[in-house]
């Protein structure tokens, strides 16, 4: 099974998101911080969009009290996106960048814990291996657009790498996910 299970993939991404927050926090101000922040924004964009397109709609009807659980997660994701967009607009050199980063980190990590506790565990119990493998296709296609390590000089050559504002990245990720899942964009 390993990384072909959608829940395993999303849990692994939660780990990568934590590591990227560490990288941004520890990077010296300037280019290094901006570069690490861009990778974090990309990963958050593909991760949250994949959840919104694939697992939240499924969890809504598959788990007990699914509507309430999913509505709570969507509200958390919306708040994080708003803060992320404001941070992206102000840029990584803004005087309040670090303060906002810590706020974003606390919100994103609390959100991830709630998903793991209230949504993913139940979803694993309510789905077959085959269903979770099918759901993994969209997550993998999206993840390919968000390299988590810097690749100096080769980034522009990486196919489909996400660019622009967080919202533009999410729109692009949504198209790719829908295509991978065999849905109309
Ligand atoms: Fe999420
Ligand atoms: Fe998540």
């Amino acid at each position: 099974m390993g990384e072909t299970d959608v829940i395993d993939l999303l849990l692994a991404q939660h780990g990568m998101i934590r590591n990227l927050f560490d990288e941004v926090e520890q990077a010296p101000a300037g280019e290094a911080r901006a570069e690490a922040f861009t990778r974090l924004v990309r990963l958050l964009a593909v991760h949250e969009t994949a959840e919104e397109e694939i697992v939240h709609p499924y969890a809504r009807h598959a788990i007990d009290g699914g509507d309430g659980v999913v509505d709570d997660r969507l509200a958390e994701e919306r708040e994080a996106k708003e803060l992320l967009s404001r941070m992206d607009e102000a840029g990584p050199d803004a005087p309040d960048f670090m303060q906002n980063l810590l706020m974003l980190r606390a919100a994103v990590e609390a959100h991830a814990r709630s998903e793991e506790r209230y949504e993913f565990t139940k979803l694993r119990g309510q789905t077959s291996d085959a269903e979770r493998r099918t759901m993994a296709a969209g997550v993998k296609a999206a993840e390919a657009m968000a390299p988590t390590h810097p690749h100096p000089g080769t980034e522009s050559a990486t196919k489909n790498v996400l660019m622009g504002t967080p919202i533009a990245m999410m729109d692009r990720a949504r198209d790719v996910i829908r295509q991978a899942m065999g849905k109309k964009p």
Side-chain angles (χ1 to χ4, degrees), residues 141-147 154-163 172 176 179:
E143 191 177 293
M145 298 186 294
T154 61
E155 185 170 280
S156 54
T158 306
K159 204 175 157 241
N160 263 336
V161 74
L162 293 173
M163 302 288 188
R172 177 77 191 115
V176 167
Q179 216 163 27

Side-chain angles (χ1 to χ4, degrees), residues 9-11 13-18 21 39-57 70 72-82 84 104-116 119-120 138-139 142-143 145-146 162 166-167 169-171 173-174 177-178:
L9 284 175
L10 293 173
L11 292 175
Q13 288 185 349
H14 284 176
M16 292 191 264
I17 289 167
R18 274 193 292 274
F21 269 112
R39 278 183 287 132
L40 174 65
V41 176
R42 278 189 189 128
L43 184 59
L44 284 172
V46 303
H47 177 77
E48 300 303 345
T49 306
E51 288 175 341
E52 285 171 20
E53 287 294 312
I54 303 165
V55 296
H56 293 335
V70 169
D72 288 351
R73 298 298 81 75
L74 289 174
E76 292 160 0
E77 284 169 13
R78 199 159 40 238
E79 258 181 62
K81 271 183 222 173
E82 281 166 13
L84 191 61
L104 180 72
R105 179 174 195 156
V108 166
E109 291 186 354
H111 166 70
R113 277 193 299 276
S114 294
E115 285 177 337
E116 292 172 15
E119 187 178 2
F120 293 176
V139 178
E143 191 177 293
M145 298 186 294
L162 293 173
I167 299 300
M169 290 183 189
M170 286 170 203
D171 286 344
R174 189 169 296 115
I177 290 164
R178 289 185 182 179

Side-chain angles (χ1 to χ4, degrees), residues 84-91 166:
L84 191 61
S85 288
R86 285 200 301 275
M87 289 175 69
D88 181 69
E89 216 169 299

Side-chain angles (χ1 to χ4, degrees), residues 2 16 20 23 29 49 61-62 90 103 107 121 124 139 141 146 150 181 184:
M16 292 191 264
L20 269 176
E23 266 198 64
T49 306
H61 62 79
M103 229 160 65
T121 314
R124 220 196 270 271
V139 178
M181 302 300 287
K184 285 194 191 117

Side-chain angles (χ1 to χ4, degrees), residues 57-76:
Y58 203 95
R60 206 178 261 291
H61 62 79
I63 66 178
D64 273 349
D67 273 329
V69 170
V70 169
D71 286 344
D72 288 351
R73 298 298 81 75
L74 289 174
E76 292 160 0

Side-chain angles (χ1 to χ4, degrees), residues 112-131:
R113 277 193 299 276
S114 294
E115 285 177 337
E116 292 172 15
R117 197 170 301 163
Y118 304 117
E119 187 178 2
F120 293 176
T121 314
K122 288 182 190 165
L123 200 58
R124 220 196 270 271
Q126 300 291 324
T127 45
S128 67
D129 291 356
E131 282 172 312

